[in-house]
Amino acid sequence: MRKVALWGNELYTGKRSYPFVDKRKLWFLVAGVLLIASVLIPAVKGGFNLGIEFRGGSEFTISDVQDTEVAVGEEAVSSVVNAEGLRVTAITADTVRVQTDRMTDDETLAVASALAEGYGVSDEQVTSTFIGPTWGQDVSRQALIGLVVFVVLVAVLMAFYFRTWKMSLAAIVGLAVVVVVTAGVYAASGFEVTPSAIIGFLTILSYALYDTVVVFDKIRENTEDYLEQQRRTFGDLVNLAINQTLVRSINTSIVAILPIGSILFIGAFLLGAGTLRDLALALFVGVIVGTLATLFIQAPLFAHFRLRDQDVKEHDALILEQRKGEPGA
């Protein structure tokens, strides 16, 4: 623990430093590769694994079962029809959900009876419903509208708060990376994209933005009197701010990931709470990517924008020239 505290103090004072800004082109290249992969993966796999809410179909819910074995449901449905898109999920310790493409009324009755027999429950404990794709389309449209409004408000708010559009642009680029890479992980893992996943996507944007604002606040504090000092270049000051907030970013991420990881791995995989997986995976990946995006993309990208400004170029050149005359330079 003492070593960790010492490590944090050295980061804050600048005695120890990691080159987030100096290596920014490498981070941008890695981000570009991840973005391309995140776009290509769903394209190669033929799209995302959409939930029944988005593609439409029949859904059965079997309650009060003693055994939530997935194979029982699959065998029961297959004994009646050759159902396309069959998915059987244990959503709680005593409830099973069965989803298929749309069935006729006769097929629905026959499958419900087979499921009741397979899981050893009465017919009244098996409910069925048909979900049309229109509902999912409405959810997608509302989510897209919410995303656009969120991004516009964030861009305007950050531009006013930090009094520079360059921080706002860097933040928006980072948020785009978070969303696209998280979506790529979803496509690669084959997890269903459900309304819960959409909620998770929108939630991680808020978390990623919160982390970004904290780091940007430190950058603004460090660079406020940049032109009045002769010690550090603009890149040095931004890099110092990232290192000074590094411990806080790591601690905050760990605190956020622990409960989400518990839901994802224990609640969803071990206990079979299937409905939690969609939300938990989006949050789990989003928190990690959001933290990394702040450190490796957003803050270095803002420095990259400012390093092109004439006043920064001239002042940095003056500082670098003075360093040549220092002992040991």
Side-chain angles (χ1 to χ4, degrees), residues 53-323:
E53 295 85 357
F54 296 99
R55 53 185 170 82
S58 298
E59 181 174 289
F60 302 85
T61 302
I62 308 98
S63 307
D64 300 328
V65 300
Q66 298 295 321
D67 182 5
T68 58
E69 183 63 37
V70 170
V72 175
E74 293 175 343
E75 185 177 345
V77 175
S78 301
S79 66
V80 179
V81 296
N82 183 21
E84 297 291 335
L86 174 61
R87 293 190 180 95
V88 182
T89 308
I91 56 177
T92 68
D94 63 351
T95 304
V96 175
R97 182 182 65 191
V98 177
Q99 296 178 332
T100 69
D101 287 350
R102 186 176 185 179
M103 294 182 177
T104 64
D105 291 342
D106 291 339
E107 289 174 338
T108 300
L109 291 173
V111 168
S113 179
L115 288 170
E117 182 179 353
Y119 282 105
V121 297
S122 65
D123 291 344
E124 288 74 21
Q125 289 171 302
V126 180
T127 60
S128 62
T129 185
F130 169 73
I131 300 174
T134 307
W135 190 84
Q137 292 171 1
D138 290 340
V139 172
S140 301
R141 185 172 60 255
Q142 295 298 328
L144 183 60
I145 293 173
L147 178 62
V148 172
V149 171
F150 176 84
V151 170
V152 171
L153 289 177
V154 166
V156 174
L157 180 63
M158 293 196 70
F160 275 102
Y161 181 72
F162 291 109
R163 300 177 183 176
T164 169
W165 62 268
K166 291 178 179 177
M167 274 193 173
S168 177
L169 179 59
I172 297 303
V173 171
L175 291 179
V177 172
V178 173
V179 172
V180 174
V181 172
T182 304
V185 172
Y186 242 83
S189 64
F191 271 55
E192 278 191 343
V193 178
T194 65
S196 295
I198 299 298
I199 294 172
F201 274 85
L202 296 178
T203 303
I204 61 175
L205 291 178
S206 299
Y207 175 84
L209 182 63
Y210 167 74
D211 198 49
T212 302
V213 168
V214 172
V215 177
F216 277 11
D217 239 349
K218 192 62 184 175
I219 292 174
R220 182 176 64 171
E221 179 184 324
N222 284 4
T223 58
E224 193 171 19
D225 299 322
Y226 160 67
L227 294 176
E228 280 71 45
Q229 57 85 42
Q230 308 291 325
R231 183 183 175 194
R232 289 188 170 104
T233 64
F234 192 87
D236 292 339
L237 292 172
V238 173
N239 200 67
L240 177 63
I242 302 173
N243 280 277
Q244 287 175 326
T245 53
L246 182 60
V247 174
R248 178 214 155 272
S249 295
I250 294 174
N251 289 341
T252 306
S253 300
I254 291 175
V255 170
I257 287 172
L258 284 177
I260 298 171
S262 299
I263 295 173
L264 180 62
F265 294 105
I266 299 176
F269 288 114
L270 299 183
L271 301 181
T275 52
L276 295 177
R277 290 190 305 176
D278 311 327
L279 177 62
L281 180 65
L283 294 176
F284 188 81
V285 177
V287 167
I288 296 173
V289 177
T291 302
L292 295 177
T294 299
L295 299 174
F296 292 95
I297 304 298
Q298 290 163 313
L301 184 59
F302 168 67
H304 185 75
F305 289 153
R306 286 287 281 132
L307 289 173
R308 293 168 172 266
D309 292 345
Q310 191 60 32
D311 59 337
V312 173
K313 285 183 178 178
E314 292 176 356
H315 198 65
D316 276 1
L318 181 64
I319 294 172
L320 294 174
E321 187 64 28
Q322 288 179 346
R323 285 182 182 176

Side-chain angles (χ1 to χ4, degrees), residues 5-82:
L6 179 62
W7 178 63
N9 288 334
E10 290 181 348
L11 287 174
Y12 197 86
T13 58
K15 184 177 180 181
R16 182 193 297 264
S17 179
Y18 297 105
F20 293 99
V21 173
D22 289 345
K23 299 284 186 181
R24 62 186 182 280
K25 292 184 179 178
L26 174 62
W27 314 138
F28 297 161
L29 177 63
V30 172
V33 172
L34 290 175
L35 285 173
I36 294 173
S38 299
V39 173
L40 289 179
I41 288 173
V44 172
K45 297 184 70 173
F48 292 93
N49 182 15
L50 298 177
I52 192 173
E53 295 85 357
F54 296 99
R55 53 185 170 82
S58 298
E59 181 174 289
F60 302 85
T61 302
I62 308 98
S63 307
D64 300 328
V65 300
Q66 298 295 321
D67 182 5
T68 58
E69 183 63 37
V70 170
V72 175
E74 293 175 343
E75 185 177 345
V77 175
S78 301
S79 66
V80 179
V81 296
N82 183 21

